[in-house]
Amino acid sequence: MAEVFRAEEPRTAGEARIVVVKRMLPTLAEDGMARAMFKEEARLASRIHDKNVVEMFSEGEEDGRPYLVMEYVRGVNLSQLQHYTKTHSIQLEPEIAIYIVSELLRGLQAVHSASDETGKALDIVHYDISPSNILLSVHGDVKLGDFGIARTKLRKEFPQAPLNESARGKLGYLAPEQVRGEIADRRCDLFAAATIAAELLMGRSLFSAGTELGVLLAIRDAQIHPFLEFATKIPEELTQPIIQGLHKDPRARYQHAKDFRQALLAGIKSPADLLRDRLSDITGDARASRESRVTLDLPTPPAPHSADAPSYADTTPMTFELESGVQTHDVPILRYRVRTEDGIDFGPWTYAEMVEAIATGRISASDEVDVGRGTYRPIEMVPDLARHIARHLPGGEDSKTPITKRLTTTAKPDANYSLAGGGIIPILGHAALDKQSGLLLCELGSVRKEIYLRDGIPEYVSSNLAGELLGEYLVGKQVISRGELDMALAVMPRFEGRLGETLAALGLVEPVQLFQHIAEQVREKLIDLFSWESGTCSYYSDVEAPPSGFPLGLDAWGVLLEGIARRLEQKLDTTLEDTRGSALVVPHPEVLQKLAQSQFPHQLQLVLHALDRSRPLSELTRLVGRYSGESPVDPRAPLILLIHLGGISLQGPDAG
């Protein structure tokens, strides 16, 4: 958004001072929204005055381009220091690492407590606490900079601005609530600070995975086991505050930067001046090292395709132009040759043409494809193609995934259910109560859905409906265009046949946005089951989700309430409408006691408290409505769920 360079600022004593001038790029200077956001950054920075925050001296405009004049910090940023210590095999002393973070937290406290000209709190959240935005001076200073994506109450002045700017922070330093797309406050900044503290102590990344989506999954689930394993090597008083700061639930973290800082300082024994001097020395060494060499920025090599993906000599370089104007040059398009069971040959086809042929039933799982080595293999044996056979072809054996094909031919289900009348409600409810792990295979005519459970929670959902494929979902939501989807499908084998990774690698969708779209799309597959008024469901215990599955991280009870609300919207559930309100709601304590031990949503817990005795349905409905408050879930949903689970029953002449 801006370019940065050093300039001289005259000082009152006549002495020159080096400053940083941050100026808007010419391509954005004509954009009213960009100018407004640049102005907002200036306004935020002007309200914060603290020795641990980069100071803004002035702002202005020259040749139609706004600029900011800011403090120049002679040294390196924390990311550069980390690179220096890693390449020189230097391990930061634990107390120096904690000192850096404690100074960062002092700056964060100033940011979070900033107020406007009238003294009203601005409620600033930085949203991009990452090593590249933490500046270290050769004098041992630690300063927080870059408020380019910070957000305050003043953001209501810019309603046209993107709503997802909180997701633009560096991926490895986002908080779980940011990854989930929930409202995030200052506690997400504290999570990022705790992540940095853990990494400085360990000397490596906390959330690391082979892909961007893998990193986001690790953050969403707060998988901090690398630090927990490391924590046994250093004093507990240094690690316990960090572990608390990395809690998945924001309510369990420190609520203010000053409290986190005090907890960290309790573990430091050395004087602050001594730690500052040590930081000054290592920062000076890192800066000198950078100045003595030339850094070459080389492009990241393309991701290799899987070992099972075809490797052809017959490839055709192509150039794609996306609607955004971005071009991808010389993308090798793999060619597939197919031989059907009837002896008919097809091809050479591109990957996209193969997927289309599978979707239309032109070829089947048992047909063979030339994998480029002069031999043919059944399509179901090529992972990059088998995944599309499983999800594209409705009906018949060919539509089954390898898992369900094996189960339905070699094993008997542990239980069979009917999906009539909202049958999925008690199935998922009892699975959650009993913490079941396994596969629910749901079928309605030629439509098949697979729900993989872990400890009663839906972990992954797949479908053989073409319209429920990720690509079609993103096109329908206008996240990507049809042409962009075709291009991604064409090169998908280079990214191990994973569309999500392909879209992120090609820059078609931001990783955090993609992550949230995938979660919502898979969730919708599950919610759709609540609308089925017929069909069957078979349960196979101890069946694990496929490795390619996207873990949902769902709240099972929240999904049940949402699904029941969907049934009510579609007027499919008449459980309560069949009564005139005078029916008596009778609680069944033995069932309710078991239910109370589950991790229920707040709304459902309140309903349980009201079931201390039998009550008229009309009275209980009023109570539930009052408990629900502003909840988006229909207040009747908890009662319907409890009826399906046997926690309550309706008695009386008009109880249906």
PDB file of all heavy atoms in Angstrom, residues 171 179 208-221 470 498-505 509-519 550-551:
ATOM      1  N   LEU A 171       0.123 -15.455   8.704  1.00  0.00           N
ATOM      2  CA  LEU A 171      -0.665 -16.647   9.028  1.00  0.00           C
ATOM      3  C   LEU A 171      -0.264 -17.301  10.346  1.00  0.00           C
ATOM      4  O   LEU A 171      -1.112 -17.706  11.134  1.00  0.00           O
ATOM      5  CB  LEU A 171      -0.540 -17.666   7.897  1.00  0.00           C
ATOM      6  CG  LEU A 171      -1.218 -17.319   6.574  1.00  0.00           C
ATOM      7  CD1 LEU A 171      -1.101 -18.495   5.622  1.00  0.00           C
ATOM      8  CD2 LEU A 171      -2.671 -16.954   6.792  1.00  0.00           C
ATOM      9  N   VAL A 179      -8.887 -17.341  12.801  1.00  0.00           N
ATOM     10  CA  VAL A 179      -8.950 -18.405  11.801  1.00  0.00           C
ATOM     11  C   VAL A 179     -10.387 -18.877  11.613  1.00  0.00           C
ATOM     12  O   VAL A 179     -10.821 -19.149  10.492  1.00  0.00           O
ATOM     13  CB  VAL A 179      -8.046 -19.587  12.219  1.00  0.00           C
ATOM     14  CG1 VAL A 179      -8.234 -20.768  11.284  1.00  0.00           C
ATOM     15  CG2 VAL A 179      -6.584 -19.148  12.232  1.00  0.00           C
ATOM     16  N   SER A 208       3.796 -24.996  12.529  1.00  0.00           N
ATOM     17  CA  SER A 208       4.431 -25.300  11.248  1.00  0.00           C
ATOM     18  C   SER A 208       3.748 -26.503  10.632  1.00  0.00           C
ATOM     19  O   SER A 208       3.369 -27.444  11.317  1.00  0.00           O
ATOM     20  CB  SER A 208       5.927 -25.575  11.430  1.00  0.00           C
ATOM     21  OG  SER A 208       6.125 -26.655  12.319  1.00  0.00           O
ATOM     22  N   ALA A 209       3.560 -26.451   9.327  1.00  0.00           N
ATOM     23  CA  ALA A 209       2.942 -27.553   8.587  1.00  0.00           C
ATOM     24  C   ALA A 209       3.406 -27.440   7.143  1.00  0.00           C
ATOM     25  O   ALA A 209       4.015 -26.443   6.740  1.00  0.00           O
ATOM     26  CB  ALA A 209       1.423 -27.496   8.679  1.00  0.00           C
ATOM     27  N   GLY A 210       3.110 -28.464   6.363  1.00  0.00           N
ATOM     28  CA  GLY A 210       3.551 -28.465   4.980  1.00  0.00           C
ATOM     29  C   GLY A 210       2.802 -27.486   4.099  1.00  0.00           C
ATOM     30  O   GLY A 210       3.270 -27.137   3.023  1.00  0.00           O
ATOM     31  N   THR A 211       1.638 -27.028   4.560  1.00  0.00           N
ATOM     32  CA  THR A 211       0.818 -26.137   3.743  1.00  0.00           C
ATOM     33  C   THR A 211       0.262 -25.017   4.601  1.00  0.00           C
ATOM     34  O   THR A 211       0.243 -25.096   5.829  1.00  0.00           O
ATOM     35  CB  THR A 211      -0.365 -26.902   3.114  1.00  0.00           C
ATOM     36  OG1 THR A 211      -1.242 -27.350   4.164  1.00  0.00           O
ATOM     37  CG2 THR A 211       0.118 -28.100   2.315  1.00  0.00           C
ATOM     38  N   GLU A 212      -0.219 -23.958   3.918  1.00  0.00           N
ATOM     39  CA  GLU A 212      -0.826 -22.846   4.642  1.00  0.00           C
ATOM     40  C   GLU A 212      -2.093 -23.293   5.368  1.00  0.00           C
ATOM     41  O   GLU A 212      -2.357 -22.875   6.495  1.00  0.00           O
ATOM     42  CB  GLU A 212      -1.140 -21.709   3.667  1.00  0.00           C
ATOM     43  CG  GLU A 212       0.106 -21.034   3.113  1.00  0.00           C
ATOM     44  CD  GLU A 212      -0.222 -20.030   2.038  1.00  0.00           C
ATOM     45  OE1 GLU A 212      -1.130 -20.294   1.225  1.00  0.00           O
ATOM     46  OE2 GLU A 212       0.425 -18.972   2.013  1.00  0.00           O
ATOM     47  N   LEU A 213      -2.892 -24.129   4.725  1.00  0.00           N
ATOM     48  CA  LEU A 213      -4.103 -24.614   5.368  1.00  0.00           C
ATOM     49  C   LEU A 213      -3.763 -25.479   6.578  1.00  0.00           C
ATOM     50  O   LEU A 213      -4.489 -25.477   7.576  1.00  0.00           O
ATOM     51  CB  LEU A 213      -4.960 -25.407   4.379  1.00  0.00           C
ATOM     52  CG  LEU A 213      -5.565 -24.614   3.220  1.00  0.00           C
ATOM     53  CD1 LEU A 213      -6.465 -25.506   2.376  1.00  0.00           C
ATOM     54  CD2 LEU A 213      -6.341 -23.407   3.724  1.00  0.00           C
ATOM     55  N   GLY A 214      -2.656 -26.214   6.492  1.00  0.00           N
ATOM     56  CA  GLY A 214      -2.215 -27.012   7.632  1.00  0.00           C
ATOM     57  C   GLY A 214      -1.844 -26.134   8.812  1.00  0.00           C
ATOM     58  O   GLY A 214      -2.142 -26.465   9.968  1.00  0.00           O
ATOM     59  N   VAL A 215      -1.190 -24.997   8.546  1.00  0.00           N
ATOM     60  CA  VAL A 215      -0.850 -24.050   9.611  1.00  0.00           C
ATOM     61  C   VAL A 215      -2.123 -23.516  10.262  1.00  0.00           C
ATOM     62  O   VAL A 215      -2.229 -23.427  11.490  1.00  0.00           O
ATOM     63  CB  VAL A 215      -0.007 -22.888   9.047  1.00  0.00           C
ATOM     64  CG1 VAL A 215       0.131 -21.769  10.076  1.00  0.00           C
ATOM     65  CG2 VAL A 215       1.371 -23.382   8.628  1.00  0.00           C
ATOM     66  N   LEU A 216      -3.104 -23.164   9.432  1.00  0.00           N
ATOM     67  CA  LEU A 216      -4.349 -22.618   9.962  1.00  0.00           C
ATOM     68  C   LEU A 216      -5.106 -23.645  10.796  1.00  0.00           C
ATOM     69  O   LEU A 216      -5.712 -23.305  11.815  1.00  0.00           O
ATOM     70  CB  LEU A 216      -5.220 -22.116   8.812  1.00  0.00           C
ATOM     71  CG  LEU A 216      -4.641 -20.927   8.028  1.00  0.00           C
ATOM     72  CD1 LEU A 216      -5.536 -20.571   6.855  1.00  0.00           C
ATOM     73  CD2 LEU A 216      -4.448 -19.721   8.932  1.00  0.00           C
ATOM     74  N   LEU A 217      -5.077 -24.906  10.377  1.00  0.00           N
ATOM     75  CA  LEU A 217      -5.703 -25.965  11.170  1.00  0.00           C
ATOM     76  C   LEU A 217      -5.030 -26.086  12.536  1.00  0.00           C
ATOM     77  O   LEU A 217      -5.694 -26.243  13.566  1.00  0.00           O
ATOM     78  CB  LEU A 217      -5.632 -27.295  10.429  1.00  0.00           C
ATOM     79  CG  LEU A 217      -6.706 -27.581   9.381  1.00  0.00           C
ATOM     80  CD1 LEU A 217      -6.376 -28.853   8.619  1.00  0.00           C
ATOM     81  CD2 LEU A 217      -8.075 -27.700  10.032  1.00  0.00           C
ATOM     82  N   ALA A 218      -3.696 -26.038  12.542  1.00  0.00           N
ATOM     83  CA  ALA A 218      -2.958 -26.153  13.804  1.00  0.00           C
ATOM     84  C   ALA A 218      -3.292 -24.995  14.736  1.00  0.00           C
ATOM     85  O   ALA A 218      -3.433 -25.179  15.954  1.00  0.00           O
ATOM     86  CB  ALA A 218      -1.455 -26.197  13.521  1.00  0.00           C
ATOM     87  N   ILE A 219      -3.447 -23.788  14.176  1.00  0.00           N
ATOM     88  CA  ILE A 219      -3.799 -22.627  15.006  1.00  0.00           C
ATOM     89  C   ILE A 219      -5.228 -22.756  15.512  1.00  0.00           C
ATOM     90  O   ILE A 219      -5.507 -22.517  16.687  1.00  0.00           O
ATOM     91  CB  ILE A 219      -3.628 -21.322  14.203  1.00  0.00           C
ATOM     92  CG1 ILE A 219      -2.154 -21.094  13.870  1.00  0.00           C
ATOM     93  CG2 ILE A 219      -4.186 -20.138  14.992  1.00  0.00           C
ATOM     94  CD1 ILE A 219      -1.917 -19.926  12.946  1.00  0.00           C
ATOM     95  N   ARG A 220      -6.143 -23.132  14.611  1.00  0.00           N
ATOM     96  CA  ARG A 220      -7.549 -23.239  15.015  1.00  0.00           C
ATOM     97  C   ARG A 220      -7.724 -24.163  16.210  1.00  0.00           C
ATOM     98  O   ARG A 220      -8.500 -23.889  17.129  1.00  0.00           O
ATOM     99  CB  ARG A 220      -8.388 -23.760  13.844  1.00  0.00           C
ATOM    100  CG  ARG A 220      -9.884 -23.787  14.117  1.00  0.00           C
ATOM    101  CD  ARG A 220     -10.606 -24.679  13.148  1.00  0.00           C
ATOM    102  NE  ARG A 220     -10.253 -26.086  13.335  1.00  0.00           N
ATOM    103  CZ  ARG A 220     -10.713 -27.074  12.569  1.00  0.00           C
ATOM    104  NH1 ARG A 220     -11.504 -26.785  11.554  1.00  0.00           N
ATOM    105  NH2 ARG A 220     -10.357 -28.333  12.793  1.00  0.00           N
ATOM    106  N   ASP A 221      -6.973 -25.257  16.220  1.00  0.00           N
ATOM    107  CA  ASP A 221      -7.086 -26.235  17.294  1.00  0.00           C
ATOM    108  C   ASP A 221      -6.068 -26.011  18.403  1.00  0.00           C
ATOM    109  O   ASP A 221      -5.964 -26.824  19.323  1.00  0.00           O
ATOM    110  CB  ASP A 221      -6.918 -27.648  16.720  1.00  0.00           C
ATOM    111  CG  ASP A 221      -7.994 -27.974  15.689  1.00  0.00           C
ATOM    112  OD1 ASP A 221      -9.092 -27.405  15.793  1.00  0.00           O
ATOM    113  OD2 ASP A 221      -7.726 -28.787  14.782  1.00  0.00           O
ATOM    114  N   LEU A 470     -16.189 -28.470  -3.510  1.00  0.00           N
ATOM    115  CA  LEU A 470     -15.615 -27.195  -3.112  1.00  0.00           C
ATOM    116  C   LEU A 470     -15.572 -26.217  -4.275  1.00  0.00           C
ATOM    117  O   LEU A 470     -15.957 -25.051  -4.127  1.00  0.00           O
ATOM    118  CB  LEU A 470     -14.209 -27.410  -2.544  1.00  0.00           C
ATOM    119  CG  LEU A 470     -13.434 -26.132  -2.209  1.00  0.00           C
ATOM    120  CD1 LEU A 470     -14.164 -25.324  -1.149  1.00  0.00           C
ATOM    121  CD2 LEU A 470     -12.018 -26.471  -1.760  1.00  0.00           C
ATOM    122  N   ARG A 498      -5.090 -31.548  -4.469  1.00  0.00           N
ATOM    123  CA  ARG A 498      -5.911 -30.856  -3.479  1.00  0.00           C
ATOM    124  C   ARG A 498      -6.304 -29.483  -4.025  1.00  0.00           C
ATOM    125  O   ARG A 498      -5.458 -28.615  -4.216  1.00  0.00           O
ATOM    126  CB  ARG A 498      -5.161 -30.703  -2.157  1.00  0.00           C
ATOM    127  CG  ARG A 498      -4.767 -32.034  -1.524  1.00  0.00           C
ATOM    128  CD  ARG A 498      -3.916 -31.804  -0.284  1.00  0.00           C
ATOM    129  NE  ARG A 498      -3.415 -33.036   0.267  1.00  0.00           N
ATOM    130  CZ  ARG A 498      -4.051 -33.771   1.167  1.00  0.00           C
ATOM    131  NH1 ARG A 498      -5.230 -33.385   1.606  1.00  0.00           N
ATOM    132  NH2 ARG A 498      -3.522 -34.882   1.621  1.00  0.00           N
ATOM    133  N   LEU A 499      -7.591 -29.300  -4.245  1.00  0.00           N
ATOM    134  CA  LEU A 499      -8.050 -28.053  -4.852  1.00  0.00           C
ATOM    135  C   LEU A 499      -7.784 -26.863  -3.940  1.00  0.00           C
ATOM    136  O   LEU A 499      -7.375 -25.791  -4.412  1.00  0.00           O
ATOM    137  CB  LEU A 499      -9.544 -28.145  -5.188  1.00  0.00           C
ATOM    138  CG  LEU A 499     -10.153 -26.899  -5.844  1.00  0.00           C
ATOM    139  CD1 LEU A 499      -9.446 -26.580  -7.153  1.00  0.00           C
ATOM    140  CD2 LEU A 499     -11.645 -27.091  -6.080  1.00  0.00           C
ATOM    141  N   GLY A 500      -8.025 -27.029  -2.649  1.00  0.00           N
ATOM    142  CA  GLY A 500      -7.805 -25.919  -1.733  1.00  0.00           C
ATOM    143  C   GLY A 500      -6.373 -25.417  -1.773  1.00  0.00           C
ATOM    144  O   GLY A 500      -6.119 -24.214  -1.866  1.00  0.00           O
ATOM    145  N   GLU A 501      -5.422 -26.350  -1.706  1.00  0.00           N
ATOM    146  CA  GLU A 501      -4.014 -25.956  -1.747  1.00  0.00           C
ATOM    147  C   GLU A 501      -3.672 -25.304  -3.081  1.00  0.00           C
ATOM    148  O   GLU A 501      -2.876 -24.364  -3.150  1.00  0.00           O
ATOM    149  CB  GLU A 501      -3.119 -27.181  -1.523  1.00  0.00           C
ATOM    150  CG  GLU A 501      -3.369 -27.924  -0.220  1.00  0.00           C
ATOM    151  CD  GLU A 501      -3.016 -27.104   1.006  1.00  0.00           C
ATOM    152  OE1 GLU A 501      -2.456 -26.005   0.849  1.00  0.00           O
ATOM    153  OE2 GLU A 501      -3.313 -27.560   2.117  1.00  0.00           O
ATOM    154  N   THR A 502      -4.279 -25.798  -4.164  1.00  0.00           N
ATOM    155  CA  THR A 502      -4.020 -25.238  -5.482  1.00  0.00           C
ATOM    156  C   THR A 502      -4.505 -23.797  -5.560  1.00  0.00           C
ATOM    157  O   THR A 502      -3.790 -22.907  -6.042  1.00  0.00           O
ATOM    158  CB  THR A 502      -4.718 -26.077  -6.574  1.00  0.00           C
ATOM    159  OG1 THR A 502      -4.324 -27.440  -6.445  1.00  0.00           O
ATOM    160  CG2 THR A 502      -4.351 -25.589  -7.956  1.00  0.00           C
ATOM    161  N   LEU A 503      -5.715 -23.547  -5.090  1.00  0.00           N
ATOM    162  CA  LEU A 503      -6.274 -22.194  -5.134  1.00  0.00           C
ATOM    163  C   LEU A 503      -5.428 -21.223  -4.312  1.00  0.00           C
ATOM    164  O   LEU A 503      -5.198 -20.083  -4.726  1.00  0.00           O
ATOM    165  CB  LEU A 503      -7.709 -22.213  -4.615  1.00  0.00           C
ATOM    166  CG  LEU A 503      -8.732 -22.948  -5.487  1.00  0.00           C
ATOM    167  CD1 LEU A 503     -10.043 -23.118  -4.733  1.00  0.00           C
ATOM    168  CD2 LEU A 503      -8.966 -22.204  -6.795  1.00  0.00           C
ATOM    169  N   ALA A 504      -4.961 -21.678  -3.147  1.00  0.00           N
ATOM    170  CA  ALA A 504      -4.135 -20.808  -2.304  1.00  0.00           C
ATOM    171  C   ALA A 504      -2.780 -20.552  -2.956  1.00  0.00           C
ATOM    172  O   ALA A 504      -2.288 -19.423  -2.970  1.00  0.00           O
ATOM    173  CB  ALA A 504      -3.955 -21.430  -0.926  1.00  0.00           C
ATOM    174  N   ALA A 505      -2.177 -21.602  -3.527  1.00  0.00           N
ATOM    175  CA  ALA A 505      -0.860 -21.465  -4.138  1.00  0.00           C
ATOM    176  C   ALA A 505      -0.898 -20.557  -5.356  1.00  0.00           C
ATOM    177  O   ALA A 505       0.062 -19.815  -5.629  1.00  0.00           O
ATOM    178  CB  ALA A 505      -0.319 -22.835  -4.527  1.00  0.00           C
ATOM    179  N   VAL A 509      -7.400 -17.296  -3.941  1.00  0.00           N
ATOM    180  CA  VAL A 509      -8.150 -17.049  -2.715  1.00  0.00           C
ATOM    181  C   VAL A 509      -7.149 -16.920  -1.574  1.00  0.00           C
ATOM    182  O   VAL A 509      -6.215 -17.720  -1.478  1.00  0.00           O
ATOM    183  CB  VAL A 509      -9.141 -18.199  -2.398  1.00  0.00           C
ATOM    184  CG1 VAL A 509     -10.039 -17.810  -1.230  1.00  0.00           C
ATOM    185  CG2 VAL A 509      -9.988 -18.555  -3.605  1.00  0.00           C
ATOM    186  N   GLU A 510      -7.347 -15.916  -0.721  1.00  0.00           N
ATOM    187  CA  GLU A 510      -6.491 -15.771   0.450  1.00  0.00           C
ATOM    188  C   GLU A 510      -6.661 -16.989   1.359  1.00  0.00           C
ATOM    189  O   GLU A 510      -7.785 -17.476   1.550  1.00  0.00           O
ATOM    190  CB  GLU A 510      -6.860 -14.500   1.221  1.00  0.00           C
ATOM    191  CG  GLU A 510      -6.457 -13.217   0.532  1.00  0.00           C
ATOM    192  CD  GLU A 510      -4.952 -13.060   0.452  1.00  0.00           C
ATOM    193  OE1 GLU A 510      -4.265 -13.511   1.405  1.00  0.00           O
ATOM    194  OE2 GLU A 510      -4.462 -12.530  -0.539  1.00  0.00           O
ATOM    195  N   PRO A 511      -5.578 -17.517   1.925  1.00  0.00           N
ATOM    196  CA  PRO A 511      -5.663 -18.747   2.712  1.00  0.00           C
ATOM    197  C   PRO A 511      -6.704 -18.721   3.827  1.00  0.00           C
ATOM    198  O   PRO A 511      -7.435 -19.685   4.013  1.00  0.00           O
ATOM    199  CB  PRO A 511      -4.241 -18.889   3.274  1.00  0.00           C
ATOM    200  CG  PRO A 511      -3.374 -18.220   2.268  1.00  0.00           C
ATOM    201  CD  PRO A 511      -4.180 -17.051   1.780  1.00  0.00           C
ATOM    202  N   VAL A 512      -6.779 -17.614   4.582  1.00  0.00           N
ATOM    203  CA  VAL A 512      -7.743 -17.571   5.692  1.00  0.00           C
ATOM    204  C   VAL A 512      -9.169 -17.574   5.155  1.00  0.00           C
ATOM    205  O   VAL A 512     -10.046 -18.265   5.685  1.00  0.00           O
ATOM    206  CB  VAL A 512      -7.504 -16.339   6.577  1.00  0.00           C
ATOM    207  CG1 VAL A 512      -8.584 -16.230   7.647  1.00  0.00           C
ATOM    208  CG2 VAL A 512      -6.137 -16.420   7.244  1.00  0.00           C
ATOM    209  N   GLN A 513      -9.423 -16.818   4.081  1.00  0.00           N
ATOM    210  CA  GLN A 513     -10.751 -16.820   3.475  1.00  0.00           C
ATOM    211  C   GLN A 513     -11.086 -18.220   2.967  1.00  0.00           C
ATOM    212  O   GLN A 513     -12.213 -18.713   3.149  1.00  0.00           O
ATOM    213  CB  GLN A 513     -10.818 -15.823   2.331  1.00  0.00           C
ATOM    214  CG  GLN A 513     -10.761 -14.366   2.767  1.00  0.00           C
ATOM    215  CD  GLN A 513     -10.842 -13.423   1.588  1.00  0.00           C
ATOM    216  OE1 GLN A 513     -10.579 -13.808   0.449  1.00  0.00           O
ATOM    217  NE2 GLN A 513     -11.208 -12.188   1.849  1.00  0.00           N
ATOM    218  N   LEU A 514     -10.127 -18.852   2.315  1.00  0.00           N
ATOM    219  CA  LEU A 514     -10.344 -20.195   1.789  1.00  0.00           C
ATOM    220  C   LEU A 514     -10.649 -21.164   2.924  1.00  0.00           C
ATOM    221  O   LEU A 514     -11.567 -21.989   2.826  1.00  0.00           O
ATOM    222  CB  LEU A 514      -9.104 -20.658   1.017  1.00  0.00           C
ATOM    223  CG  LEU A 514      -9.154 -22.075   0.450  1.00  0.00           C
ATOM    224  CD1 LEU A 514     -10.279 -22.207  -0.556  1.00  0.00           C
ATOM    225  CD2 LEU A 514      -7.813 -22.440  -0.192  1.00  0.00           C
ATOM    226  N   PHE A 515      -9.897 -21.062   3.985  1.00  0.00           N
ATOM    227  CA  PHE A 515     -10.105 -21.928   5.151  1.00  0.00           C
ATOM    228  C   PHE A 515     -11.539 -21.808   5.656  1.00  0.00           C
ATOM    229  O   PHE A 515     -12.220 -22.800   5.916  1.00  0.00           O
ATOM    230  CB  PHE A 515      -9.116 -21.521   6.243  1.00  0.00           C
ATOM    231  CG  PHE A 515      -9.106 -22.420   7.442  1.00  0.00           C
ATOM    232  CD1 PHE A 515      -8.217 -23.471   7.533  1.00  0.00           C
ATOM    233  CD2 PHE A 515      -9.988 -22.214   8.488  1.00  0.00           C
ATOM    234  CE1 PHE A 515      -8.212 -24.300   8.653  1.00  0.00           C
ATOM    235  CE2 PHE A 515      -9.992 -23.031   9.603  1.00  0.00           C
ATOM    236  CZ  PHE A 515      -9.094 -24.073   9.680  1.00  0.00           C
ATOM    237  N   GLN A 516     -12.014 -20.584   5.780  1.00  0.00           N
ATOM    238  CA  GLN A 516     -13.357 -20.359   6.298  1.00  0.00           C
ATOM    239  C   GLN A 516     -14.427 -20.818   5.311  1.00  0.00           C
ATOM    240  O   GLN A 516     -15.474 -21.338   5.707  1.00  0.00           O
ATOM    241  CB  GLN A 516     -13.526 -18.886   6.661  1.00  0.00           C
ATOM    242  CG  GLN A 516     -12.645 -18.484   7.839  1.00  0.00           C
ATOM    243  CD  GLN A 516     -12.524 -16.992   8.038  1.00  0.00           C
ATOM    244  OE1 GLN A 516     -13.170 -16.212   7.337  1.00  0.00           O
ATOM    245  NE2 GLN A 516     -11.693 -16.578   8.969  1.00  0.00           N
ATOM    246  N   HIS A 517     -14.171 -20.638   4.003  1.00  0.00           N
ATOM    247  CA  HIS A 517     -15.117 -21.115   2.994  1.00  0.00           C
ATOM    248  C   HIS A 517     -15.215 -22.641   3.025  1.00  0.00           C
ATOM    249  O   HIS A 517     -16.308 -23.210   2.905  1.00  0.00           O
ATOM    250  CB  HIS A 517     -14.691 -20.656   1.601  1.00  0.00           C
ATOM    251  CG  HIS A 517     -15.036 -19.231   1.304  1.00  0.00           C
ATOM    252  ND1 HIS A 517     -16.325 -18.746   1.401  1.00  0.00           N
ATOM    253  CD2 HIS A 517     -14.267 -18.188   0.895  1.00  0.00           C
ATOM    254  CE1 HIS A 517     -16.331 -17.463   1.076  1.00  0.00           C
ATOM    255  NE2 HIS A 517     -15.107 -17.100   0.776  1.00  0.00           N
ATOM    256  N   ILE A 518     -14.078 -23.308   3.173  1.00  0.00           N
ATOM    257  CA  ILE A 518     -14.089 -24.775   3.223  1.00  0.00           C
ATOM    258  C   ILE A 518     -14.877 -25.254   4.439  1.00  0.00           C
ATOM    259  O   ILE A 518     -15.718 -26.158   4.347  1.00  0.00           O
ATOM    260  CB  ILE A 518     -12.656 -25.333   3.270  1.00  0.00           C
ATOM    261  CG1 ILE A 518     -11.932 -25.052   1.947  1.00  0.00           C
ATOM    262  CG2 ILE A 518     -12.665 -26.834   3.536  1.00  0.00           C
ATOM    263  CD1 ILE A 518     -10.469 -25.449   1.948  1.00  0.00           C
ATOM    264  N   ALA A 519     -14.621 -24.637   5.583  1.00  0.00           N
ATOM    265  CA  ALA A 519     -15.328 -25.035   6.801  1.00  0.00           C
ATOM    266  C   ALA A 519     -16.832 -24.837   6.641  1.00  0.00           C
ATOM    267  O   ALA A 519     -17.631 -25.698   7.040  1.00  0.00           O
ATOM    268  CB  ALA A 519     -14.807 -24.230   7.989  1.00  0.00           C
ATOM    269  N   PHE A 550     -10.987 -32.658   5.383  1.00  0.00           N
ATOM    270  CA  PHE A 550     -10.760 -31.375   6.040  1.00  0.00           C
ATOM    271  C   PHE A 550     -11.434 -31.400   7.409  1.00  0.00           C
ATOM    272  O   PHE A 550     -12.658 -31.411   7.496  1.00  0.00           O
ATOM    273  CB  PHE A 550     -11.340 -30.240   5.193  1.00  0.00           C
ATOM    274  CG  PHE A 550     -11.063 -28.870   5.749  1.00  0.00           C
ATOM    275  CD1 PHE A 550      -9.885 -28.216   5.444  1.00  0.00           C
ATOM    276  CD2 PHE A 550     -11.973 -28.245   6.579  1.00  0.00           C
ATOM    277  CE1 PHE A 550      -9.623 -26.955   5.953  1.00  0.00           C
ATOM    278  CE2 PHE A 550     -11.722 -26.988   7.101  1.00  0.00           C
ATOM    279  CZ  PHE A 550     -10.544 -26.339   6.780  1.00  0.00           C
ATOM    280  N   PRO A 551     -10.677 -31.438   8.513  1.00  0.00           N
ATOM    281  CA  PRO A 551     -11.284 -31.500   9.845  1.00  0.00           C
ATOM    282  C   PRO A 551     -12.140 -30.267  10.123  1.00  0.00           C
ATOM    283  O   PRO A 551     -11.688 -29.148   9.941  1.00  0.00           O
ATOM    284  CB  PRO A 551     -10.071 -31.556  10.784  1.00  0.00           C
ATOM    285  CG  PRO A 551      -8.929 -31.994   9.925  1.00  0.00           C
ATOM    286  CD  PRO A 551      -9.205 -31.443   8.564  1.00  0.00           C
TER     287      PRO A 551
END
